[in-house]
Amino acid sequence: VQLQASGGGLVQAGGSLRLSCAASGLTFRRYSMAWFRQAPGKEREFVAAIKYSGDSIRYADSVKGRFAISRDNAKNTVDLQMGSLNPEDTAVYYCAAGQRVIVSTMTRDQAYDYWGQGTLVTVSS
């Protein structure tokens, strides 16, 4: 299984970025997908998740209204559209895939089986 995250970079505060994660080696439509992030010196934290069916979506309170997660089961990709970025969003962003994720565990990193290598997002003030 491979999860390849891309789209990170340097952006000014208030700007936007779109991250994408391409999955291979798994039956994508059976996996719930999520984005987590880890800022320097901090623990990894949940950002957004979408169930395999696409009918349940969760966001961290810190990104609600600014970020949007979506998936394309035909392309085996999950995207994270990020807007109104601020320096606190600076982090390495990881995508994750889990086959047995239920609604109550969507925000927990232990629920996910596979992780990508991460893509760095840097927001300058």
Side-chain angles (χ1 to χ4, degrees):
V1 173
Q2 283 194 329
L3 301 177
Q4 184 71 41
S6 61
L10 176 64
V11 62
Q12 288 189 332
S16 300
L17 274 178
R18 188 176 184 89
L19 305 183
S20 187
C21 176
S24 60
L26 52 74
T27 305
F28 185 76
R29 67 181 183 278
R30 295 179 181 173
Y31 281 76
S32 297
M33 302 296 296
W35 289 93
F36 289 76
R37 67 186 182 187
Q38 187 167 19
K42 294 187 177 181
E43 294 186 351
R44 185 168 61 191
E45 65 174 1
F46 169 76
V47 176
I50 183 168
K51 282 290 298 292
Y52 66 92
S53 56
D55 61 352
S56 291
I57 290 176
R58 294 291 183 270
Y59 295 102
D61 288 342
S62 60
V63 308
K64 278 181 183 176
R66 301 189 298 121
F67 290 12
I69 188 171
S70 60
R71 64 185 296 152
D72 186 334
N73 286 348
K75 296 182 179 179
N76 288 6
T77 58
V78 59
D79 290 352
L80 184 69
Q81 179 67 48
M82 306 186 295
S84 301
L85 287 163
N86 59 65
E88 289 69 39
D89 295 315
T90 294
V92 177
Y93 284 71
Y94 299 91
C95 62
Q99 193 171 18
R100 287 169 291 278
V101 177
I102 58 177
V103 171
S104 62
T105 65
M106 288 175 72
T107 64
R108 303 176 191 173
D109 55 3
Q110 303 96 316
Y112 295 89
D113 307 307
Y114 303 106
W115 293 80
Q117 86 290 356
T119 186
L120 177 62
V121 173
T122 303
V123 184
S124 63
S125 57

